Amino acid sequence: MKKTIALLTLAAALAAPMAAQAHRAWLAPTSTVLSGNDAWVGFDGGSSNQVFSADHAAMRLDNVAITAPDGSAVQPEHVMQGQYRSTFDVHLTQNGTYKIANVSSGVNASYKLNGEQKRWRGTAAEFPSGLPAGATDVQATRNASRIETFVTLNNATNSVFAPTGHGLELVPVTHPNDLAEGEAATFKLLKDGQPASGVEVTVARGGQRYRNAPEEITTTTGADGAFSITWPVAGLYWLNASVRTPGVGQELGTNASYVAALEVLP
């Protein structure tokens, strides 16, 4: 009996970290570097405990935006949403680097009206005018989420990396489609267009279901928002950073997150 209890306690202890870990959203390409006159790339999107493992929820594709090297918008094709993952294809017809992003933003607020607790959701432009007259004890947070990846047909270009000035964004120093095993890559993080200093960045390698160790790397951005990663082995990596700033008075708080899928070649 004591042995059984001990085994159950050990099993619970081993399971606890995974249960406590929030589900991680991701957008994964089938390839990131291609050649030829044109090419097709497939994408899977979802959220899961282990990155790139479709076992929890499919990604909503309403806000997917695909930017071609010349800045034009490209429509996803063969779009499908399943139980655990969403899929679509992109036809690459221009030489250069494409950005595939799922971007969302908005404001969540709580307030009291006639003594009752209420909630409100809308855009930043609608706040605070969208709240009912007489609302008190207002607490509001601006949410900005960016999930993206990059693919290149023939020669790598940089036009798609121009920041928008909203939320957390990645500005490459090393091109994200020029990553190699054993080599260091440098990137910069911006928050609302300014260097995001002191932000923790987590990098996790895919394929965890086939090994015991998660093999995660953590680093912190410098004063200029820059950070470097030395890739231990080839593979598809999930990169994540987030910033949380509480609101003060009528000032909005901020929840900003950034996710990228980056392929490291041998």
Side-chain angles (χ1 to χ4, degrees):
M1 185 66 176
K2 289 182 179 180
K3 183 177 180 180
T4 301
I5 293 174
L7 289 173
L8 290 173
T9 303
L10 176 61
L14 291 173
M18 182 60 72
Q21 185 184 57
H23 293 114
R24 295 172 163 182
W26 43 267
L27 182 59
T30 54
S31 300
T32 60
V33 180
L34 303 102
S35 61
N37 295 326
D38 68 352
W40 287 87
V41 180
F43 295 85
D44 290 344
S47 63
S48 53
N49 286 314
Q50 298 177 2
V51 297
F52 312 131
S53 177
D55 62 7
H56 177 64
M59 173 179 285
R60 294 188 56 132
L61 302 178
D62 310 37
N63 297 318
V64 167
I66 303 163
T67 307
D70 67 355
S72 62
V74 178
Q75 294 301 312
E77 301 189 43
H78 314 130
V79 178
M80 185 196 76
Q81 180 172 323
Q83 182 68 28
Y84 293 131
R85 67 187 176 100
S86 297
T87 65
F88 60 92
D89 296 326
V90 175
H91 190 193
L92 311 182
T93 58
Q94 297 180 24
N95 290 329
T97 300
Y98 290 69
K99 177 169 68 176
I100 299 87
N102 192 336
V103 182
S104 62
S105 64
V107 173
N108 290 341
S110 64
Y111 62 94
K112 286 186 178 180
L113 186 65
N114 300 324
E116 293 186 16
Q117 191 71 35
K118 304 283 187 178
R119 295 190 179 276
W120 177 89
R121 177 180 295 178
T123 66
E126 295 169 332
F127 179 84
S129 60
L131 297 177
T136 61
D137 299 326
V138 177
Q139 294 183 334
T141 300
R142 178 169 61 92
N143 301 298
S145 170
R146 177 176 292 273
I147 304 169
E148 61 188 20
T149 189
F150 311 95
V151 296
T152 293
L153 180 65
N154 298 318
N155 301 320
T157 55
N158 296 308
S159 56
V160 297
F161 302 125
T164 67
H166 298 288
L168 273 182
E169 297 181 273
L170 188 78
V171 177
V173 177
T174 305
H175 196 285
N177 293 144
D178 187 25
L179 308 179
E181 177 181 351
E183 296 183 3
T186 301
F187 308 98
K188 288 185 178 181
L189 274 181
L190 302 181
K191 180 180 179 294
D192 297 332
Q194 300 300 315
S197 63
V199 177
E200 184 176 275
V201 179
T202 300
V203 176
R205 185 164 69 93
Q208 183 182 339
R209 66 185 297 178
Y210 303 112
R211 63 180 189 272
N212 292 324
E215 296 186 15
E216 294 188 2
I217 301 169
T218 58
T219 187
T220 303
T221 61
D224 59 352
F227 65 97
S228 295
I229 300 291
T230 298
W231 309 104
V233 296
L236 191 63
Y237 286 80
W238 179 85
L239 184 149
N240 171 248
S242 60
V243 174
R244 297 182 183 275
T245 306
V248 179
Q250 294 297 317
E251 182 181 350
L252 286 171
T254 299
N255 287 341
S257 65
Y258 178 85
V259 171
L262 305 173
E263 186 179 31
V264 176
L265 299 177

